[in-house]
């Protein structure tokens, strides 16, 4: 049971995705915790494993995550990566008018990175990468799954992610042939 966005509870899972340009999924994972705060390190690790398994040796040049993923322990664990995670008002960090919030202890370095013109410019890319990826998955497959239980749901979600990526590949090939 997870807390619903609209109040109450829902029987479900929290789906995490890591996207590249054009919403190609680099990783898709099922989490039974409604908070994203503990998901950043496992998602980065899973994305790295998938990247290497696919034979892609070039490192990911920039990691972007919203404020739900902000945690001092994740920042420490991922200190060697080019990482930008919102730690205050996401709208403000993207360069839009919004109420300014203060970063929590241990997150001031990340806030300073995001406060630079380059940090703001780079962070603006996040919503164009991840949010359409979720929208496309929900539009294509809906929000309901056919199976129950963590392992079955995880398998179904990974299959849907693979179909999503194959669809992107087929669309790209069709456009490049024209």
């Amino acid at each position: 049971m997870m807390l619903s966005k609209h109040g109450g509870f829902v029987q479900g899972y929290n789906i995490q995705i890591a996207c590249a340009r054009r919403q190609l999924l680099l990783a898709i994972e099922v989490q039974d915790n409604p908070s994203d705060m503990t998901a950043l390190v496992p998602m980065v690790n899973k994305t790295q494993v998938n990247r290497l398994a696919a034979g892609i040796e070039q490192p990911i040049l920039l990691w972007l995550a919203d404020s739900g993923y902000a945690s001092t322990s994740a920042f420490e664990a991922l200190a060697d990566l080019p990482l930008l995670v919102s730690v205050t008002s996401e709208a403000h960090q993207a360069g839009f008018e919004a109420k300014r919030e203060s970063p929590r202890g241990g997150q001031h370095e990340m806030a300073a990175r995001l406060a630079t013109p380059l940090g703001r410019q780079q962070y603006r890319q996040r919503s164009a990468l991840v949010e359409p990826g979720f929208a496309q998955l929900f539009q294509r497959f809906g929000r309901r799954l056919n199976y129950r239980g963590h392992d079955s749901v995880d398998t179904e979600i990974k299959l849907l992610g693979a179909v999503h990526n194959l669809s992107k590949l087929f669309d790209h090939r069709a456009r490049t042939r024209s």
Side-chain angles (χ1 to χ4, degrees):
M1 299 297 286
M2 292 180 38
L3 188 60
S4 171
K5 286 183 181 181
H6 307 290
F9 292 88
V10 63
Q11 184 176 357
Y13 292 95
N14 188 354
I15 305 300
Q16 305 292 326
I17 62 174
C19 291
R21 289 190 181 117
R22 297 179 183 86
Q23 297 81 42
L24 185 70
L25 301 182
L26 303 174
I28 186 166
E29 293 295 319
V30 172
Q31 181 180 341
D32 56 6
N33 185 340
S35 171
D36 294 337
M37 193 177 289
T38 61
L40 185 58
V41 173
M43 281 304 292
V44 166
N45 290 340
K46 185 61 176 181
T47 302
Q48 298 285 41
V49 166
N50 290 348
R51 177 181 64 81
L52 294 172
I56 301 169
E57 295 186 22
Q58 179 184 6
I60 293 173
L61 301 177
L62 182 63
W63 297 86
L64 302 167
D66 68 30
S67 62
Y69 294 90
S71 87
T72 305
S73 62
F75 297 162
E76 290 169 359
L78 303 172
D80 60 328
L81 295 179
L83 177 69
L84 290 174
V85 179
S86 176
V87 294
T88 62
S89 168
E90 289 180 42
H92 184 285
Q93 288 178 215
F96 301 106
E97 195 67 33
K99 180 182 173 186
R100 178 96 173 143
E101 301 170 14
S102 298
R104 294 180 283 247
Q107 298 180 358
H108 295 284
E109 183 181 329
M110 182 64 68
R113 254 190 269 167
L114 286 159
T116 66
L118 179 60
R120 283 193 298 275
Q121 176 193 7
Q122 289 176 325
Y123 188 76
R124 278 191 207 117
Q125 298 173 44
R126 189 203 67 79
S127 62
L129 294 170
V130 176
E131 301 309 333
F134 276 116
Q136 291 165 15
L137 282 168
F138 293 149
Q139 180 183 17
R140 189 172 282 136
F141 304 115
R143 291 180 173 263
R144 304 224 184 262
L145 298 172
N146 296 305
Y147 296 94
R148 300 292 177 257
H150 188 276
D151 291 344
S152 297
V153 167
D154 187 57
T155 300
E156 184 174 357
I157 285 295
K158 284 180 174 44
L159 178 60
L160 296 177
V163 169
H164 170 84
N165 282 347
L166 286 171
S167 174
K168 292 279 184 180
L169 176 67
F170 295 150
D171 288 348
H172 177 73
R173 284 194 176 168
R175 273 187 262 124
T176 56
R177 285 187 192 146
S178 304

